[in-house]
């Protein structure tokens, strides 16, 4: 019976062209026998005998009638693979283990649009990288255990149903992407951990990872560039960049979603010329651990460069960022529109430390400046949202005093921004700025500072209002008491004054005057008179019956009346929330 024709590279006969007894290289003969039995072909690790890449491809595709391959696939160790391994557009490729092997070709392993069962290059040396765009891998991709791969590893748009494991490997592509997995779908965990050393960008932009992204205790190097990109990626598990994770380059999680924790505990990220950690618009449904600090004095971790949390949403926030003075920090922290439910872990709740933490923001987010630190055009103005967010957290956990303190600080800084006063101004410059505003369109700002900020703390601190109230009451009581003894407090009834003048009595001692006409007239009381003029809604008849007979006493009286009305109106506004909302 005539054998059906097969495509090139799909029959054993094509490979029997070597000057050996059976036409195959000795190592190929061993691999052929092992693949037939479903066993591992372990060659001499010192000699690493050669095997043609095309022969491995022949076996991975199932061999032929004379060289059937067990469903366990091709399992090879300690070989030198000659030529380019090309699996592009191949279907139903059997599991392929090429562990501790060396590929001699500088050309990449190609598997674009291929359907693979499993790909393992554990401990192997691959000088040309891997090109597996849009590949479908039913199992895992294993590049672990000291694998050394030079050149770009591409799995763009690929579907990997198991893990992607490059733990303990060395991946090198100095001038671009070392690992390019944008829009990939990975059904397990991505391991870039256990002392993995990656030079070049790791790119998971738009990828979906059903497990964790585990890069603990690894080193990423992309100087003056982006070391890790997960922009708009979805990570169903945790993102672990912790426990000795080091990055010489930016970590970019903009717009990503992490269903559990994002952990940077004890990590070291260096990008002193720009953004070290970009978390803009990220969603973390667990805890964001930023336990690394801004100096080396507290914990092993350090983030050297800017941290951008603008628009990020996290459930819980654990950090030590407030442990450093902003003036000593190696970068700013963008906090505008950063939302979190509460602080956990090692995070401090000390309100002074947290207000100091808010000062890490870029200068153009705290007052008007020329532009943003990354050079992008951005509106320069004071950002109140970080203060509102911090205040909401304090209120939710019952720290009401800290809640009012934060909101008072927000309004204070907003007023300074309106006036043009910056935190780094000295006292003389601040005074000159306030004085200049009195003669400008902002002349109401000093009045707002005096009455709204100093007296009522924008509705969050009212004790100065009452302190002035009682001080004014005490002073006025003494003055009116002395004035009554000096005959400077007189009745308001004109008939009494005319009668006293006719009799020539009571001119200097009205309180002790014994005219019959005063028999039913209320006696003057300095205490109740002062109380009557200071409390606008209380009628004690003293103000209606007695009045000062000296211009400066009348000035003091009107000061009491006006301050009494001011106090009453402010209390109503505070209780109703008008002042705080304003």
């Amino acid at each position: 019976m005539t054998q059906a024709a097969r495509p090139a590279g799909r029959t054993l006969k094509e490979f029997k062209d070597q000057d050996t007894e059976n036409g195959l290289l000795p190592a190929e003969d061993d691999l052929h026998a092992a693949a037939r039995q479903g066993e591992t072909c372990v060659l001499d690790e010192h000699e690493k005998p050669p095997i043609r890449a095309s022969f491995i491809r022949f076996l991975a595709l199932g061999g032929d009638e004379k060289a059937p391959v067990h469903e366990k696939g091709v399992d090879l160790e300690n070989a030198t693979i000659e030529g380019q391994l090309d699996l592009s557009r191949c279907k139903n490729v059997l599991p392929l283990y090429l562990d501790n092997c060396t590929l001699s070709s500088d050309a990449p392993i190609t598997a674009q649009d291929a359907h693979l069962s499993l790909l393992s290059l554990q401990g192997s040396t691959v000088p040309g990288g891997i090109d597996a765009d849009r590949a479908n891998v039913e199992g895992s991709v294993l590049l672990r255990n000291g694998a050394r791969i030079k050149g770009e590893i591409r799995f763009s748009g690929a579907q990997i149903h198991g893990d992607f494991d490059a733990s303990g490997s060395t991946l090198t592509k100095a001038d671009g992407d070392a690992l390019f997995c944008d829009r990939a779908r990975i059904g397990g965990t991505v391991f870039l951990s256990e002392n993995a050393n990656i030079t070049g960008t790791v790119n998971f932009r738009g990828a979906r990872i059903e497990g964790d992204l585990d890069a603990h205790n690894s080193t990423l190097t992309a100087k003056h560039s982006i070391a890790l990109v997960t922009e708009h990626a979805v990570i169903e598990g945790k993102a672990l960049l912790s426990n000795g994770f080091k990055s010489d380059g930016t970590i970019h999680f903009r717009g990503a979603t992490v269903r559990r924790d994002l952990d940077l505990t004890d990590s070291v990220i260096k990008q002193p010329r720009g953004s070290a950690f970009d978390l803009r618009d990220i969603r973390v449904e667990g805890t964001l651990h930023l336990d690394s600090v801004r100096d080396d004095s507290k914990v092993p971790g350090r983030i050297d460069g800017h941290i951008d949390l603008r628009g990020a949403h996290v459930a819980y926030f654990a950090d030590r960022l407030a442990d450093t003075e902003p003036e000593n920090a190696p970068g700013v922290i963008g906090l505008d529109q950063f939302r979190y439910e509460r602080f956990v872990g090692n995070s401090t709740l000390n309100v002074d430390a947290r207000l100091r933490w808010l000062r890490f923001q870029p200068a153009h987010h705290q007052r008007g400046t020329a532009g943003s630190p990354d050079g992008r055009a951005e509106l320069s103005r004071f950002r109140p949202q970080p203060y509102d967010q911090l205040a909401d957290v304090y209120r939710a956990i019952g720290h009401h005093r800290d809640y009012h303190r934060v909101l008072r600080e927000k309004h204070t800084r907003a007023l300074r921004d309106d006036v043009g006063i910056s935190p780094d101004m000295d006292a003389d410059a601040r005074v000159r700025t306030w004085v200049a505003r009195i003669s400008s369109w902002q002349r109401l700002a000093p009045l707002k500072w005096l009455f709204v900020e100093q007296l009522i703390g924008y509705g969050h601190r009212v004790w100065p209002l009452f302190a002035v109230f009682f001080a004014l009451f005490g002073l006025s009581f003494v003055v009116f008491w002395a004035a009554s003894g000096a005959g400077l407090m007189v009745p308001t009834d004109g008939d009494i004054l005319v009668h006293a003048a006719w009799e020539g009595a009571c001119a200097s001692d009205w309180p002790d005057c014994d005219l019959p006409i005063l028999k039913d007239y209320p006696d003057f009381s300095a205490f109740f008179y002062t109380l009557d003029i200071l409390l606008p809604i209380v009628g004690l008849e003293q103000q209606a019956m007695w009045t000062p007979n000296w211009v400066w006493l009348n000035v003091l009286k009107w000061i009491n009346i006006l301050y009494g009305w001011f106090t009453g109106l402010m209390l109503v506004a505070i209780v109703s929330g008008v002042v705080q909302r304003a």
Side-chain angles (χ1 to χ4, degrees):
M1 183 176 179
T2 305
Q3 182 177 353
R6 283 175 171 265
R10 295 297 304 276
T11 63
L12 180 62
K13 182 179 178 180
E14 296 176 62
F15 296 96
K16 290 189 173 185
D17 57 358
Q18 302 297 306
D19 189 16
T20 62
E21 182 178 351
N22 64 356
L24 297 175
L25 293 172
E28 292 175 346
D29 199 31
D30 294 339
L31 178 60
H32 172 211
R36 185 185 187 99
Q37 299 297 323
E39 298 174 351
T40 301
C41 178
V42 181
L43 303 176
D44 191 313
E45 63 179 334
H46 300 292
E47 294 184 5
K48 286 197 172 183
I51 294 181
R52 288 170 288 179
S54 56
F55 184 71
I56 293 174
R57 177 183 184 273
F58 162 69
L59 294 178
L61 292 175
D64 64 3
E65 291 81 358
K66 294 184 179 181
V69 179
H70 197 279
E71 57 269 17
K72 289 184 178 180
V74 179
D75 193 343
L76 174 65
E77 293 185 15
N78 305 323
T80 298
I81 300 174
E82 296 182 339
Q84 182 182 14
L85 180 58
D86 184 1
L87 298 171
S88 57
R89 295 189 292 278
C90 291
K91 310 300 180 185
N92 303 317
V93 180
L94 294 172
L96 185 57
Y97 295 86
L98 304 175
D99 299 337
N100 298 312
C101 295
T102 299
L103 280 79
S104 61
S105 174
D106 290 336
I109 297 174
T110 58
Q112 306 102 317
D113 301 295
H115 286 207
L116 310 176
S117 297
L118 179 145
L119 177 63
S120 175
L121 294 165
Q122 300 180 65
S124 294
T125 299
V126 183
I130 303 171
D131 188 352
D133 288 350
R134 302 172 302 281
N136 190 325
V137 184
E138 294 296 331
S140 298
V141 175
L142 306 176
L143 312 177
R144 62 193 180 195
N145 297 342
R148 296 169 299 281
I149 303 177
K150 186 176 181 180
E152 187 174 19
I153 301 173
R154 294 184 59 91
F155 281 86
S156 176
Q159 293 191 33
I160 301 172
H161 297 270
D163 296 332
F164 184 97
D165 192 347
S167 56
S169 63
T170 299
L171 313 180
T172 306
K173 183 69 166 63
D175 57 348
D177 293 321
L179 180 58
F180 189 75
C181 297
D182 76 317
R183 298 175 290 107
R185 299 294 181 265
I186 300 171
T189 291
V190 174
F191 293 99
L192 305 173
S193 54
E194 302 298 339
N195 292 312
N197 195 323
I198 303 176
T199 301
T201 299
V202 176
N203 193 332
F204 282 92
R205 180 182 285 109
R208 184 179 187 89
I209 302 172
E210 298 295 335
D212 298 336
L213 172 60
D214 186 354
H216 79 272
N217 196 29
S218 64
T219 300
L220 276 58
T221 303
K223 291 185 177 180
H224 315 310
S225 183
I226 299 176
L228 174 62
V229 180
T230 60
E231 182 176 356
H232 301 299
V234 177
I235 302 171
E236 293 292 339
K238 298 179 180 179
L240 304 173
L241 313 180
S242 56
N243 299 334
F245 172 81
K246 299 179 180 64
S247 173
D248 193 348
T250 300
I251 303 299
H252 197 326
F253 270 80
R254 184 174 184 179
T257 298
V258 181
R259 300 296 185 195
R260 297 179 66 187
D261 297 345
L262 172 53
D263 191 351
L264 278 91
T265 303
D266 295 342
S267 62
V268 176
I269 303 174
K270 296 181 180 179
Q271 186 68 312
R273 297 185 180 181
S275 176
F277 197 34
D278 189 346
L279 290 174
R280 281 176 289 177
D281 302 317
I282 193 175
R283 301 294 183 271
V284 179
E285 297 180 9
T287 301
L288 171 59
H289 295 271
L290 276 176
D291 283 0
S292 297
V293 295
R294 311 292 275 173
D295 56 47
D296 296 321
S297 61
K298 302 292 183 182
V299 295
R302 175 181 173 84
I303 300 178
D304 189 355
H306 305 315
I307 301 174
D308 201 339
L309 292 165
R310 289 176 293 171
H313 288 208
V314 305
Y316 310 112
F317 187 45
D319 78 314
R320 300 193 190 197
L321 299 174
D323 294 343
T324 306
E325 290 292 337
E327 295 78 8
N328 301 327
V332 300
I333 304 178
L335 295 172
D336 190 31
Q337 303 304 317
F338 174 41
R339 292 178 171 83
Y340 47 96
E341 293 183 14
R342 67 171 183 264
F343 297 106
V344 296
N346 295 317
S347 303
T348 180
L349 290 174
N350 179 274
V351 67
D352 292 320
R354 281 297 157 195
L355 289 174
R356 182 171 64 240
W357 172 61
L358 294 181
R359 286 166 44 208
F360 277 109
Q361 296 183 85
H364 70 289
H365 285 195
Q366 302 185 64
R367 55 184 172 85
T369 56
S372 62
D374 55 11
R376 296 184 177 91
E378 189 175 3
L379 183 62
S380 297
R381 58 176 177 80
F382 173 73
R383 305 302 205 275
Q385 188 275 338
Y387 290 85
D388 292 330
Q389 176 63 50
L390 180 59
D392 288 343
V393 170
Y394 278 130
R395 180 173 60 180
I397 62 178
H399 289 214
H400 297 292
R401 181 177 296 180
D402 296 337
Y403 161 77
H404 290 291
R405 168 80 183 281
V406 172
L407 290 183
R408 190 170 72 250
E409 182 70 15
K410 178 193 76 170
H411 291 296
T412 297
R413 289 193 173 273
L415 179 61
R416 302 301 187 277
D417 180 61
D418 290 340
V419 174
I421 293 178
S422 62
D424 55 354
M425 279 186 176
D426 57 29
D428 291 340
R430 296 185 185 192
V431 171
R432 288 195 300 271
T433 303
W434 280 116
V435 172
R437 295 302 177 268
I438 296 177
S439 58
S440 71
W441 64 273
Q442 291 178 318
R443 61 177 57 91
L444 293 179
L447 296 178
K448 184 177 180 181
W449 171 82
L450 176 61
F451 291 105
V452 181
E453 180 177 314
Q454 296 300 315
L455 287 179
I456 63 173
Y458 301 98
H460 300 283
R461 184 191 62 180
V462 296
W463 68 262
L465 181 72
F466 290 105
V468 174
F469 181 91
F470 288 111
L472 181 61
F473 175 83
L475 173 65
S476 300
F477 165 72
V478 172
V479 170
F480 287 123
W481 177 78
S484 67
L488 298 177
M489 299 301 299
V490 300
T492 57
D493 191 326
D495 293 338
I496 294 177
L497 293 176
V498 171
H499 185 81
W502 180 264
E503 296 289 337
C506 307
S508 61
D509 192 11
W510 280 101
D512 296 328
C513 186
D514 56 357
L515 287 175
I517 197 173
L518 293 174
K519 181 178 180 181
D520 297 323
Y521 202 81
D523 294 333
F524 175 79
S525 169
F527 179 86
F528 288 108
Y529 180 81
T530 305
L531 200 61
D532 198 8
I533 61 175
L534 198 52
L535 297 178
I537 59 174
V538 176
L540 301 177
E541 295 188 345
Q542 288 289 304
Q543 182 180 353
M545 297 297 179
W546 298 90
T547 187
N549 194 25
W550 187 38
V551 62
W552 293 111
L553 289 177
N554 276 290
V555 170
L556 180 60
K557 169 187 172 181
W558 278 104
I559 290 175
N560 277 265
I561 293 173
L562 293 176
Y563 191 78
W565 276 104
F566 173 78
T567 300
L569 291 175
M570 287 300 100
L571 290 177
V572 171
I574 291 170
V575 171
S576 64
V578 172
V579 170
Q580 296 179 18
R581 286 194 297 270

